[in-house]
Amino acid sequence: MAEAENTMAIAAKAAAKRKVANLAFWSIIIAAIVLGLKLAAWYITGSVALYSDALESIVNVIASMAAFWAIQVSYKPADQDHPFGHHKAEYFSAVLEGVLIVLAALLILNEVWRSWQAPAPMEKPWNGLAVNGIATVINAFWAWTLIRAGRAEKSPALVADGNHIMTDVVTSVGVFGGLVGAILTGWQILDPALAVLVALNILWQGWHVIGSSMNGLMDRAVDTAEHMHIRDVISANCKGALEVHDLKTRIAGRATFIEFHLVVDADMSVGASHVICDRIEDALKAEIPSVRVTIHVEPDDEAKLPKGTTAVPFA
């Protein structure tokens, strides 16, 4: 039975890897297509705002390549040099994406400065906006797909890529509306002004991506709701134990690491205490994908709660 469950777990992990890797690969292809469309829109119009939109898409292509590499590394099994696995590799991809976003913002601001020094009217603006609109629709669908799949599979690289693309979508919608206003009113100053707003927006997004990834590299704990859920699962499956204390968690990419101390009667046999540990670990694995559980068994003189306590056995 245990062997069959282990085989199923390995098969599920392999299927998840294929799904995430396929999405990361197609993200490169789609990012390249969107980049081509946005460069065409910029070439048609000469708009600095559309140039800024296209420049952000160049970041998308590079970031998608980095995410694809990081996902391949993150799914490698633990080895002698990395006994806890390679899950954190995806955070490096997300950090790189944040840095590239900041670089793109600086390049946009440089182009804005050049545009203000030598302003020029847009050419064929409606044609350019139509091409850019097609790229935006493609981006919106793909961003939604990546974020949904990334959260389901606990893939920081996919989520970061999806969030960045979604920011690109919001940017493109803003640029589209602003340029329509510029065309209808004749206020050409709106073009470089929109580019400045684009730069500031992606600077904020870059900071957010870097900050989120750094939290992962610093072994951030699960959020409060997840922590309480873990407590509940342990409490419901620790029959025979006296107490649980020093519960600690950390997140590393898809993996959630849980460790705690389990207090049992000093006279309990090793085998009996091991049965309790297995029951708790199996329950946690059933509730939390890719969980790693470490339980330290202690005798009753290590308990932190008063003897006879009948509340939830946590201290």
Side-chain angles (χ1 to χ4, degrees):
M1 185 68 174
E3 185 177 346
E5 290 178 352
N6 187 50
T7 302
M8 291 177 62
I10 293 173
K13 184 176 180 181
K17 177 184 177 180
R18 286 194 299 271
K19 178 181 178 181
V20 173
N22 286 338
L23 284 170
F25 174 77
W26 278 104
S27 195
I28 298 172
I29 304 300
I30 291 176
I33 293 172
V34 169
L35 171 61
L37 289 171
K38 289 191 175 183
L39 286 174
W42 166 57
Y43 179 78
I44 292 170
T45 63
S47 164
V48 68
L50 290 180
Y51 167 82
S52 68
D53 207 11
L55 196 60
E56 189 176 4
S57 291
I58 293 176
V59 175
N60 287 348
V61 174
I62 299 173
S64 296
M65 293 178 178
F68 181 73
W69 168 83
I71 287 168
Q72 303 301 314
V73 174
S74 72
Y75 272 98
K76 290 174 62 178
D79 53 36
Q80 186 173 354
D81 293 329
H82 306 89
F84 293 100
H86 301 76
H87 309 95
K88 289 187 178 181
E90 292 192 41
Y91 290 121
F92 291 101
S93 166
V95 169
L96 173 62
E97 182 165 353
V99 172
L100 290 173
I101 290 171
V102 172
L103 177 60
L106 296 177
L107 291 174
I108 291 169
L109 291 174
N110 178 67
E111 186 64 22
V112 169
W113 176 250
R114 291 173 54 189
S115 175
W116 268 332
Q117 288 181 318
M122 286 184 287
E123 300 178 5
K124 301 179 181 178
W126 296 114
N127 293 345
L129 286 178
V131 173
N132 195 262
I134 294 171
T136 301
V137 171
I138 295 173
N139 256 356
F141 170 76
W142 192 244
W144 176 80
T145 301
L146 289 180
I147 293 172
R148 184 180 179 186
R151 288 174 177 168
E153 302 298 336
K154 291 193 173 182
S155 171
L158 284 186
V159 173
D161 204 16
N163 282 333
H164 179 211
I165 294 174
M166 188 60 75
T167 300
D168 193 12
V169 171
V170 174
T171 298
S172 297
V173 171
V175 167
F176 186 92
L179 288 181
V180 168
I183 296 167
L184 295 178
T185 62
W187 297 348
Q188 298 300 325
I189 191 64
L190 286 177
D191 185 23
L194 282 170
V196 171
L197 292 177
V198 170
L200 294 177
N201 181 50
I202 65 175
L203 271 175
W204 178 87
Q205 179 66 15
W207 175 257
H208 177 75
V209 169
I210 293 173
S212 177
S213 302
M214 292 302 292
N215 273 335
L217 291 172
M218 293 296 291
D219 290 335
R220 178 177 59 86
V222 300
D223 59 34
T224 302
E226 183 73 4
H227 184 89
M228 296 308 297
H229 178 58
I230 291 170
R231 282 176 57 112
D232 291 343
V233 172
I234 296 172
S235 294
N237 292 277
C238 66
K239 183 179 180 181
L242 302 176
E243 178 186 298
V244 172
H245 59 243
D246 291 349
L247 173 62
K248 298 176 183 176
T249 63
R250 66 183 178 92
I251 299 173
R254 298 175 308 282
T256 300
F257 290 83
I258 301 172
E259 63 176 75
F260 56 87
H261 294 190
L262 183 74
V263 180
V264 299
D265 192 294
D267 295 327
M268 180 178 284
S269 68
V270 173
S273 63
H274 193 263
V275 169
I276 300 173
C277 292
D278 281 347
R279 185 168 64 243
I280 295 172
E281 187 172 351
D282 290 344
L284 288 169
K285 287 181 177 179
E287 291 289 324
I288 306 170
S290 301
V291 71
R292 309 287 191 274
V293 184
T294 302
I295 306 174
H296 179 62
V297 179
E298 295 181 332
D300 50 21
D301 60 358
E302 295 292 333
K304 293 186 177 182
L305 292 173
K307 288 187 177 181
T309 298
T310 57
V312 176
F314 269 89

